[in-house]
Amino acid sequence: MVLSLPELKQEAYLQWETLLLERGVYNPCPLSFNVGEAKGERLPYTNSAFRDEMRRYGDLRRRDTWEKAAIQLTAQGVAQGLLEAYQVIGYIVSPSYMNCPIRQHYGERLIEAMFQFPEIIDLIRQGLEQVYTYTECDQEKQLVTTFISKGHQLPGLGSLALADRRAPYPLSSRHQ
């Protein structure tokens, strides 16, 4: 099952709005969580600043434009610090971790898009250190353990190993 076009537009809008809010950038429209649900659902159609910015992803009449926008904005939000580092690990290894529709429906494309942002490697490194060090991260540690036990490898571990010249954290016996 794929997201409907209105759902894609709404997800792209929420990610765009969150990025603006996190950066302290002025949004000419009221925030979607400050207006009623019906008005909030119309904002992707009525906010001209949003629509103008989304044109960089393509023709607004095309579904692939909205997929690109939602994926890219979600990837940017995750990679540029909207989540704690340990949460990034949970987000990567489990599509249902944050209940994010874009992660659930566009998993591989989203993960690939996250690696367009150089800061994701440091977030993964920090996240793995947190997951394997702090008891508060037991849920994420279990998710990583399950992920690896199914034969998967965390994306970017090759870059991580090259970056710090050590073996990738979850595959090292010292962390198991």
Side-chain angles (χ1 to χ4, degrees), residues 3-22:
L3 293 175
S4 69
L5 191 54
E7 289 171 324
L8 276 170
K9 289 179 182 183
Q10 189 67 38
E11 287 299 320
Y13 188 84
L14 293 173
Q15 293 299 324
W16 176 79
E17 182 179 61
T18 302
L19 286 168
L20 291 182
L21 186 64
E22 287 291 321

Side-chain angles (χ1 to χ4, degrees), residues 3 5 18 21 46 49 52 54 58-59 74-75 77 81-82 96 100-102 104 106 121 140-142 147 153-154 164:
L3 293 175
L5 191 54
T18 302
L21 186 64
T46 61
D52 289 345
M54 294 306 103
D59 185 335
T74 302
L82 297 181
S96 61
C100 172
I102 301 303
Q104 292 168 353
Y106 300 97
I121 299 299
E140 291 78 12
K141 185 175 182 177
Q142 182 57 45
F147 183 80
Q153 184 177 13
L154 279 165
D164 70 1

Side-chain angles (χ1 to χ4, degrees), residues 82-99:
L82 297 181
L83 299 176
E84 295 293 330
Y86 72 92
Q87 293 174 317
V88 171
I89 298 301
Y91 190 84
I92 289 172
V93 301
S94 174
S96 61
Y97 177 71
M98 300 292 283
N99 197 25

Side-chain angles (χ1 to χ4, degrees), residues 150-169:
K150 292 181 177 179
H152 302 293
Q153 184 177 13
L154 279 165
L157 286 180
S159 300
L160 192 69
L162 290 174
D164 70 1
R165 304 286 185 227
R166 289 184 286 186
Y169 296 107

Side-chain angles (χ1 to χ4, degrees), residues 17-33:
E17 182 179 61
T18 302
L19 286 168
L20 291 182
L21 186 64
E22 287 291 321
R23 292 189 169 95
V25 176
Y26 174 73
N27 181 353
C29 289
L31 297 173
S32 61
F33 57 84

Side-chain angles (χ1 to χ4, degrees), residues 71 75 78 88 91-94 102-103 106-116 120 124 154-156:
I71 291 167
V78 171
V88 171
Y91 190 84
I92 289 172
V93 301
S94 174
I102 301 303
R103 172 65 178 101
Y106 300 97
E108 292 302 315
R109 288 175 61 191
L110 174 61
I111 301 301
E112 287 175 20
M114 288 167 51
F115 281 91
Q116 294 173 4
I120 195 67
I124 290 172
L154 279 165

